[in-house]
Amino acid sequence: MEARNKIERPRFDQITKHVTDSLNLRMFVGTWNVGGKTPHRGVNLREWLKSPLTADIYVLGFQEIVPLHAGNVLGPEDCSRATKWLSLICQALKGNRHDDSDLPANHNDRQQPSKSHLDSISIEDQHDRKSSEIFWGLNPDSCSSEENSSVHVRHRFCLAASKQMVGIFLCVLVRADLYQHISSLKASCVGTGIMGYLGNKGSVSISMTLYQTTFCFVCCHLASGEKDGDAIRRNSDAMEILKKTRFSHPCKILGKPVQPDCILDHE
């Protein structure tokens, strides 16, 4: 074609994308089946969330945040316990109250995230940046890696997304300066419980793009038991989750990256 149509081949440097600087980030990912129990006032999650070096992103999944009786499975969503767990997460990241003495005078200290923020994204809706809680966070036992000192490193964190299905609750909290670089936030819920589709078992998944990298976080509650066949049921649940999880996106725009539709499409 080049010879026949006399098309000049572009130089190599014209068709090669410029390599940009990489960004190294740390992510803390945790999961906890809380057995349907309401967190008591003295619960402190700092021991769970602490790490030798400060994390930039926290992804926390819970199972059985509500008892899995018929009223919770078939009735309206009970967000009150998710509110309490999220409040405890915020307190753990904030650190001790007296550490906030050097905050700016105009800082609005909101310790209790409002109920609306617990479902900050839906299966269809785009992420609303104005709806996120922003708070000061202090990673316990974190220190400056450059100076190798015991000075605590202070960060601001915000709730990027959260989603609940019956007793499954998944939330993603990010450093505030990274928040503006998150896009294409979507959620998908798959029920694999009673009758094969109710939400007492199943998954909640959150899809997002950070800069140009796509992430998918999946919080599962699979079939229980240690009898013969129970492992097969769990594997079957996992296959259903992989098959049925879908993230809806608006119509594809020419020149824009194609967003992932399912779990395995993500990087």
Side-chain angles (χ1 to χ4, degrees), residues 76 83 105 119 225 250 259-260 267:
T83 303
D119 213 18
Q259 296 300 322
E267 294 172 290

Side-chain angles (χ1 to χ4, degrees), residues 26 46 49-55 58 92-93 137-145 148-155 157:
R26 288 185 171 84
R46 295 189 77 192
L49 300 184
K50 75 177 181 180
S51 55
L53 295 171
T54 305
Y58 288 85
L93 293 180
L138 181 66
N139 189 311
D141 300 331
S142 64
C143 63
S144 170
S145 58
N148 194 25
S149 68
S150 60
V151 178
H152 286 293
V153 179
R154 185 183 298 277
H155 291 294
F157 289 90

Side-chain angles (χ1 to χ4, degrees), residues 132-135 156-161 172-176 179:
S132 178
E133 283 291 328
I134 298 178
F135 57 93
R156 292 171 64 216
F157 289 90
C158 59
L159 176 63
V172 180
L173 302 101
V174 302
R175 234 175 48 205
Y179 182 67

Side-chain angles (χ1 to χ4, degrees), residues 101-120:
S101 57
D102 59 343
L103 292 181
N106 62 352
H107 171 63
N108 183 18
D109 186 11
R110 293 176 285 181
Q111 291 197 30
Q112 298 290 339
S114 66
K115 185 175 180 179
S116 63
H117 298 134
L118 283 168
D119 213 18
S120 59

